[in-house]
Structure formats: structure tokens, C-alpha cells
Amino acid sequence: MFQVEKTKTIILEEDNSTSSPKQSDKPRPETTKLDVVNFFLNLYRKQIGAPPSCMGKYTALDSDAHGPESLYELKVRIGEDVHTRRMTITPLGEDTGSRSKCFFVIYDVHMVLKIPPMEQNNLQEYIESIRRDAKIVDRLAPRECIVPRVSVILKMIRTFDDTEDLSPMQFEEVYIKWLMEDPRTQEFLKINGSFVYFMDLAKYYFLGGIVAKMQGDKDRNAQEILGHHDLIWEIDDFEGRYGYQFASLCEDLQHLYGKCRAAASAVLIRHKLANAVQDYRIRNWFLIHLAGRTVKAEDADGNAKILDDLNKALNELMEEEASTVNAYRKMIKEYIREKMFFRNKPQMETIIVNLLELLAWLRTSKVSIRDLKPDNLLVAGNPDNYPYFLTNAGEYNIGLIDVETAADFSGGEPGSMEQPLLGGTPNYATPSHLFANEIIALAWGDVGRMLHYQDWQATLGMIYRVATGKTLFPKTGKILPKLPKMFSQAPKGKTPLDLIKETSKLFWQSAMAEFDAKRQQKEEALRTLKITLDETAVVMLQEELAIESEIVLEALKARILNQKIYTSKDAKKKLFAASAKSLNQQKVRLANTPDGNAAQTRVKRQALKLFGDLERMKNHLARLAWAQKQLAKPTPAFSVFEIMGILFDALIVTMHKPDWPDLTGGDVGAFGQTGKDATYQHATI
């Protein structure tokens, strides 16, 4: 049965016949930030040797204890002595679709706490789940992976001799042995009576945090406005910074300031402060409101009593002059966006290169993570050279944080593969995330390839996120939570395969429309970003595009052979040999001919559909031939616009098979060039 979790991850109830680690089916009570802080307070008691009876408390040290990042002081009294220390806690992925609730904590080390959605009280099952993740890590070695380990916490309360030369897993087994021998130790791995998972992030950086910092800071626009407070009154300097085309906007702003000065003066007169405020202060108030903020007491020389009246008057003025204000803010936003884009362009390019290298590594390792997204990835480079190493793809790589949803598909056959957890983060997932291996085999055939292509979809979404700061498939992602209901309410007589084909069309039709619109909207930026692929990514693309070419070629042959309009052998050969351009010309000529009787009109429509289908497939093959030619060069280079087209073309062909219900929308994955070297010209029908 399908379920949808509140955290926006779509999941399915796990098949109890699989070998996946068991969990309680009882939902865990909500774990709050303060529950986690209290856990570390108890840990601190243990570390300093305080008996449980000793009083302890925690205090929020920042002004906003309920904000995303909070600093706490832990305090424990032992007799007359008071021991204190600090910790920082930040909730992670509140809206990212994480199946578990996560917190980032700084306490001795940087760590991530993962709180599963279901209670976990069985020690053996808890340890088995940790060991399962360790097996995935072994397959991915030496790729950096952060997975749950009991030693992250337990080493803080006990150390063992002669562990310096142990491997990470051997070191972990030392603490697992202690954990099993001393049941009292379990309390230091539980919150609210149920086991949680701890991951040591000490040496690494969150990719999600790096991308967020590159792509947007809400304060940058305000900083630009307030940091250049003289520009509005110096038109030459204004033009020099933002462009001569904005000279008239500068004049409009000066005119607006005149109205602002009058409004502010009226407020000051009412409060008998007409001579107490200098002109530069009124200019500052004007800029504060242009930046979308309000005047605070510290901006008014202590004249707090005027703030309500002043802010109300200036807010009303900004609303009256909205066209000028919005034009200025839009100009500032575009200026900052372009400035930050070119400042971060080298880092964006290397991150995209390394995302593709990670995808190729996963393919070689025959592991699918199935929930790739920036918040689940780490950046591993020399901390002493951060962030400068981000400009060189070879100086760092991208690793994995948590492999809970990962699948090892090295076994080949569905029955020999462990069934992974079903579901994924909607903005990065596909309908295939919702189905067990046996269903994937029924619908798509090659389970391993489908699992791998789930990571292709996520990588495509992450590339767009890195390049633009935006989500590629927000509308399409909303379809996934609806699919379980569609299955449960399907009419009788519909087979599972029928439903998969129908929902696949719904999903990928939407994805095509979004991909086309989003890529066109950001085309200039995406073409500006240039990447040179590493060898592993080149091999992956060469091999996958060769498979894709065969799929499209066979679909082309089948379309020609199965149509009932041009039935002679010679006519079919001509259709197979025709170029996309000539087919388009035929289509245009036919469309311009008058309709005949009903039968003739029906044949005409069928012919138009045939020409359109063949034209799209031949353009597709030509694009693939162009891409293969680029990949064969000594240093294969592509724009991000092109690489996104390559990935999306492959996704559509793999995830929505050519003989399934037609997708409409044209060549939305178009990239590169079309030409006469398409692979279909070297084949026969």
C-alpha cells in the first residue's frame, strides 16, 4: 500500500519478505530541537563523570532560540563546582523530502543526527542497519561516504587502547562489541527511548550549503543598496556601475527622494523634531525603504517615538511610486545575479563536472543512491584551501552523506538484489522510485539500469540547481504524491503495466514541458557555463548513448515497418533514408494540401503524425551522433545547456519506452547540431 509522509518523501510500505533491516511500524513521536539538546546535556553529564542526580540545565545564548541555527550553553553542577560547555544545533532538510528528520550539531565534532520516522528499539536490528550501510560504503571505496556509526558518540565517553591503526569499520566494531556487552551504553544512542543515528561530518562540507551560498543571499540586494549610498545622487557614478541605459531611472529615484524628504519632514514636524535630524539621516531612511526594510531605533538616533509614523509614511510612498521602486529593485537584483554568476562560474563548473564524475562512479560500482540531492552530498577537499579548491575539479570530489535508500544492483537479477527502501524526494525522483524490483523488471526489464537512471534524474536536477539556484521540476514533483491514489482508485481490468504506462506519460509529459521552459529561460547562463568531462564520465556517456542510439534506431524501424500508409518496400526504404529536413518539408507540403473526404482526411492526419514522429527520431539520432563525436575528442567539452539535453534525452528514452503512449512536445532535449552523420544512415531496414 502507498503512503505519503509529511516530510514530502513518497514511500511505500516495505515488503516484509525482503532482506531489508526491520523497523517498528509504530511512528516515532515528534523529536524537537530541545529533545536533541537535552540528549547532549545527558551526554555531557557522562563525559564529566557527574552522577545522574546532579542538576543540569541548558540555556539558549542567541536571541532567536527558535531560529534555524541556535547556540546553547550546557551547565552541570557537581557539588559546588559548575561545569559548562557550548553546542550548536541546526535542523536540516525541513522541506527537502528527507525520509528521516535530521539535525546538524557541533559538539566536539561536526555531526549529523538522523531521526528515523519509525521507532527503533531493537539493538540487533539497529546494528544490522549500520552494517548494511557499511557494505555499501565498501563497494564505493575509496569514495568519501558518511554513514551512521555508534562510535561517533560512544568514543566520547570511552576510549580503547591500540585502535590507531584500525580501519574505520574495525574501529566501529570495537564499539559495537562494547555496546552489545554493556546494555547500559544503549541510552547514549537513544532520544526519547528510541535509537537514532549519528554521522561524523568533521572533515567535510555540505554541498547544499555551498550551492545555497553561491546562488543566493537575501541580504545581497539590500547590501548593494545600502553599501553604495551616494550613487543615486551622482548620476555619472550610477551609470558607471549599472549602465547608461539606467540614467532615467536615476533621475526618477532623485525625484522620489524629494517626495521622501517631504514625507519624512512632515513626520518630524509633527513630533517637534524638525531641526534635530540632518539630511544624511533622511537619505539613509530612504535607502532603507528602497531596500525593502524598515527603519529601526538605531537608525533614528534614538528617536524611537517617531518610528511608527515614519515607517508608515515611507511605506505608503513606496507603494504610491511602486513602478519606480520595482524597476530599481529589479535592476539591482539583475546586477547582483550577474555579478555573482561570473564570480562563482568556475566553482559551478567544477561542481557540475564532479557531479557527473560521481554519477559515473556509482555506475561503475553498480550502486544507485536513489535519493541524490545537494543536502545528501558532501564536498571533500583540503580544508586549509577552502573555498579556493572549488575552482579546480581535480582538487576535491563529491561524496555521500547517508546511503539509507541505496541499492546494490551488482547481482543483476531482481531476485538476487536486496529490495531498497521505496520512495524518494519528489523534485529529484521518478515514478520508478515507487515500485519494487519485481515491478520494475516487469515494466522496464533491466532493473539495475533503471535504478541507475534514477540517479541520472537526480543529477540532472542538481546540475540545474547548481547553475541557477532553482528547482528544475517543481510542478512535476507534485505529481508523484498523487500516483499512489491513482493506482488505488484504478478501474477494474487495468493491469499494473497499463497503470505504469499511463502514469509514466503523465509524469514525463509534465517533465518535458518544465524542462523545455526552464532550460530556455536560463539558456544564456547555461550556455555560458562550460565543462570538460573527466574520463569516467566520458566512458559512461559513450556507453549509455550507444545503447540509447540502438533504442531509438529500433523504434524508428518499428515505426516505419508498422505504419499502413506507405506499404511498399521501396517506400519504406525511402522513409528510412530520408533526412529530418526532407521529412519536415513533406510534412509542411502535406499540411497545406486541402482536406478531401473523411477517409482521405484520416489518412492525411496519419501521414502527418508519421512524418512528425520520424522527424523527431532522426533529429534525436543526429544529436546523439554529434554528442558521440564530441565525446571522442581528446578533451570532450560541452556547455551545461548541451549536457542537460544529453541527460534528458537519455532519461526520456530509458524511463518512458518508445512503444509506450506517445509523449508530445517536440525535441525538448535539443542540443548540439543536426547533420548527415546520424547513426541511422549507417543502418539498414
Side-chain angles (χ1 to χ4, degrees):
M1 179 178 291
F2 290 89
Q3 296 178 340
V4 179
E5 286 206 286
K6 294 180 180 179
T7 50
K8 299 186 181 179
T9 292
I10 306 162
I11 66 167
L12 290 165
E13 288 183 358
E14 295 177 51
D15 182 350
N16 291 330
S17 65
T18 69
S19 57
S20 301
K22 297 178 181 179
Q23 280 188 346
S24 163
D25 57 1
K26 183 179 179 181
R28 178 192 295 266
E30 178 72 12
T31 301
T32 68
K33 185 162 59 174
L34 296 183
D35 290 329
V36 178
V37 174
N38 196 57
F39 167 86
F40 281 97
L41 177 61
N42 291 332
L43 178 65
Y44 183 46
R45 281 196 185 97
K46 179 68 174 179
Q47 286 180 295
I48 62 176
S53 59
C54 285
M55 186 181 71
K57 67 177 183 177
Y58 51 77
T59 306
L61 297 183
D62 45 10
S63 58
D64 183 10
H66 300 287
E69 179 177 318
S70 301
L71 176 65
Y72 286 87
E73 182 178 72
L74 310 181
K75 184 181 294 185
V76 177
R77 180 183 294 277
I78 305 177
E80 297 299 319
D81 297 326
V82 177
H83 300 261
T84 63
R85 67 157 298 158
R86 295 182 177 186
M87 65 169 290
T88 302
I89 180 170
T90 310
L92 293 177
E94 290 293 321
D95 295 311
T96 63
S98 176
R99 188 169 187 268
S100 302
K101 187 171 185 177
C102 296
F103 295 91
F104 176 63
V105 172
I106 303 176
Y107 181 96
D108 289 353
V109 297
H110 294 63
M111 69 179 78
V112 173
L113 271 69
K114 185 176 74 171
I115 318 292
M118 313 304 284
E119 284 190 354
Q120 173 61 281
N121 299 309
N122 185 294
L123 176 61
Q124 190 60 46
E125 291 175 7
Y126 175 67
I127 292 172
E128 284 177 6
S129 67
I130 289 174
R131 285 173 170 162
R132 176 206 172 267
D133 288 355
K135 291 178 182 177
I136 295 289
V137 171
D138 286 343
R139 287 199 60 81
L140 295 172
R143 175 74 50 173
E144 287 81 358
C145 297
I146 302 299
V147 294
R149 300 192 188 279
V150 300
S151 55
V152 173
I153 291 296
L154 297 187
K155 69 182 180 182
M156 295 181 183
I157 56 179
R158 181 179 177 182
T159 58
F160 291 89
D161 295 332
D162 303 322
T163 58
E164 295 83 359
D165 297 328
L166 298 181
S167 69
M169 199 58 233
Q170 289 172 330
F171 185 78
E172 175 74 357
E173 288 296 329
V174 169
Y175 282 94
I176 286 176
K177 181 181 178 182
W178 178 43
L179 177 63
M180 298 182 76
E181 291 174 347
D182 186 353
R184 295 172 300 175
T185 312
Q186 297 180 32
E187 69 174 287
F188 298 105
L189 299 170
K190 292 182 177 181
I191 293 179
N192 294 333
S194 181
F195 285 112
V196 298
Y197 296 91
F198 303 86
M199 293 173 276
D200 186 347
L201 200 69
K203 300 184 292 183
Y204 306 110
Y205 305 89
F206 284 108
L207 178 63
I210 291 172
V211 172
K213 188 174 182 180
M214 286 194 308
Q215 287 296 348
D217 181 343
K218 294 180 180 179
D219 290 333
R220 282 185 182 137
N221 294 349
Q223 290 169 358
E224 173 67 19
I225 294 170
L226 298 172
H228 298 85
H229 46 80
D230 292 330
L231 287 182
I232 290 174
W233 294 274
E234 299 292 341
I235 193 166
D236 290 341
D237 292 343
F238 191 92
E239 288 183 29
R241 188 168 184 84
Y242 303 122
Y244 68 89
Q245 69 270 30
F246 295 111
S248 61
L249 178 58
C250 184
E251 294 172 354
D252 292 341
L253 289 167
Q254 291 177 358
H255 180 68
L256 176 58
Y257 171 67
K259 293 184 177 182
C260 172
R261 193 178 189 288
S265 297
V267 171
L268 293 171
I269 289 170
R270 286 199 301 273
H271 288 271
K272 297 181 172 45
L273 293 171
N275 298 319
V277 177
Q278 296 177 311
D279 282 351
Y280 83 89
R281 184 64 69 187
I282 297 178
R283 285 191 176 192
N284 189 47
W285 296 342
F286 171 62
L287 292 172
I288 287 171
H289 274 264
L290 269 184
R293 297 180 174 180
T294 56
V295 178
K296 306 291 184 185
E298 59 267 26
D299 303 313
D301 286 338
N303 297 312
K305 62 182 180 179
I306 72 169
L307 290 182
D308 289 344
D309 283 354
L310 179 65
N311 284 318
K312 181 180 178 182
L314 297 187
N315 277 333
E316 290 175 352
L317 181 61
M318 294 295 158
E319 291 176 1
E320 291 172 8
E321 301 291 334
S323 60
T324 298
V325 173
N326 290 339
Y328 176 62
R329 289 174 179 171
K330 181 180 178 181
M331 181 202 71
I332 293 294
K333 182 179 179 180
E334 289 300 311
Y335 172 79
I336 294 297
R337 184 199 63 78
E338 184 174 349
K339 180 179 177 181
M340 296 308 299
F341 177 83
F342 284 101
R343 176 184 294 177
N344 294 318
K345 180 175 176 287
Q347 292 95 313
M348 289 189 283
E349 290 170 340
T350 66
I351 289 173
I352 291 169
V353 167
N354 281 339
L355 283 173
L356 290 167
E357 186 272 335
L358 172 63
L359 183 64
W361 179 273
L362 292 171
R363 178 178 181 270
T364 301
S365 304
K366 296 190 180 299
V367 171
S368 171
I369 301 304
R370 305 181 59 258
D371 196 21
L372 288 176
K373 54 191 174 186
D375 285 342
N376 280 359
L377 297 177
L378 59 87
V379 171
N382 182 356
D384 295 334
N385 197 31
Y386 177 82
Y388 305 106
F389 65 65
L390 291 172
T391 61
N392 187 334
E395 289 190 17
Y396 72 98
N397 61 47
I398 294 175
L400 302 157
I401 304 173
D402 196 11
V403 293
E404 178 187 26
T405 59
D408 176 354
F409 58 86
S410 60
E413 295 299 321
S416 63
M417 292 187 224
E418 180 180 324
Q419 176 62 55
L421 295 173
L422 301 182
T425 304
N427 289 340
Y428 297 95
T430 71
S432 66
H433 280 74
L434 302 177
F435 305 116
N437 291 347
E438 291 77 10
I439 300 297
I440 292 176
L442 171 68
W444 288 278
D446 188 336
V447 177
R449 191 159 187 265
M450 285 303 299
L451 295 176
H452 174 60
Y453 266 79
Q454 291 176 2
D455 287 350
W456 275 57
Q457 171 78 347
T459 301
L460 176 63
M462 290 191 295
I463 287 173
Y464 188 77
R465 169 72 71 176
V466 170
T468 69
K470 306 295 183 182
T471 301
L472 181 55
F473 296 117
K475 293 180 181 178
T476 304
K478 293 177 182 177
I479 293 175
L480 283 176
K482 300 175 183 178
L483 298 188
K485 187 175 181 181
M486 291 177 63
F487 271 75
S488 64
Q489 297 180 351
K492 290 183 178 180
K494 289 277 188 181
T495 68
L497 185 56
D498 290 336
L499 292 169
I500 287 171
K501 290 178 180 179
E502 291 176 7
T503 53
S504 177
K505 178 175 180 177
L506 176 67
F507 180 89
W508 290 108
Q509 192 71 69
S510 173
M512 286 175 69
E514 276 200 282
F515 180 82
D516 187 32
K518 294 290 182 67
R519 201 172 63 133
Q520 286 187 27
Q521 182 184 12
K522 299 292 184 180
E523 181 172 354
E524 182 180 357
L526 295 174
R527 287 195 184 277
T528 301
L529 293 168
K530 307 286 187 181
I531 61 172
T532 300
L533 302 178
D534 85 316
E535 184 178 353
T536 58
V538 169
V539 171
M540 174 185 70
L541 290 174
Q542 285 176 328
E543 293 178 355
E544 291 299 327
L545 298 192
I547 296 172
E548 183 184 346
S549 296
E550 288 300 316
I551 293 172
V552 178
L553 184 59
E554 289 304 312
L556 176 68
K557 290 180 181 180
R559 185 69 176 93
I560 293 172
L561 292 173
N562 295 332
Q563 54 84 29
K564 305 299 183 183
I565 305 170
Y566 305 99
T567 57
S568 73
K569 188 174 182 179
D570 185 58
K572 291 177 180 178
K573 284 185 176 181
K574 286 182 178 179
L575 286 174
F576 188 71
S579 67
K581 182 178 180 181
S582 67
L583 287 164
N584 179 265
Q585 291 170 345
Q586 290 275 15
K587 184 175 67 175
V588 171
R589 280 196 293 268
L590 183 58
N592 290 330
T593 61
D595 289 343
N597 57 37
Q600 291 170 331
T601 299
R602 183 172 62 253
V603 172
K604 175 183 173 180
R605 290 174 180 169
Q606 291 172 352
L608 287 172
K609 177 71 165 59
L610 172 65
F611 290 146
D613 291 346
L614 298 182
E615 180 189 3
R616 282 192 294 273
M617 284 188 273
K618 292 191 176 191
N619 276 331
H620 191 157
L621 287 166
R623 294 197 300 272
L624 287 168
W626 175 85
Q628 290 283 29
K629 187 175 179 180
Q630 296 300 112
L631 289 167
K633 293 181 177 180
T635 53
F638 297 88
S639 72
V640 170
F641 184 88
E642 291 163 347
I643 208 71
M644 286 183 66
I646 292 171
L647 293 178
F648 192 72
D649 264 356
L651 274 162
I652 289 290
V653 168
T654 303
M655 292 283 190
H656 190 83
K657 298 170 73 172
D659 59 339
W660 287 7
D662 283 350
L663 299 175
T664 58
D667 292 329
V668 298
F671 59 88
Q673 305 167 355
T674 57
K676 296 181 179 181
D677 57 348
T679 54
Y680 69 86
Q681 292 189 337
H682 306 291
T684 58
I685 190 168

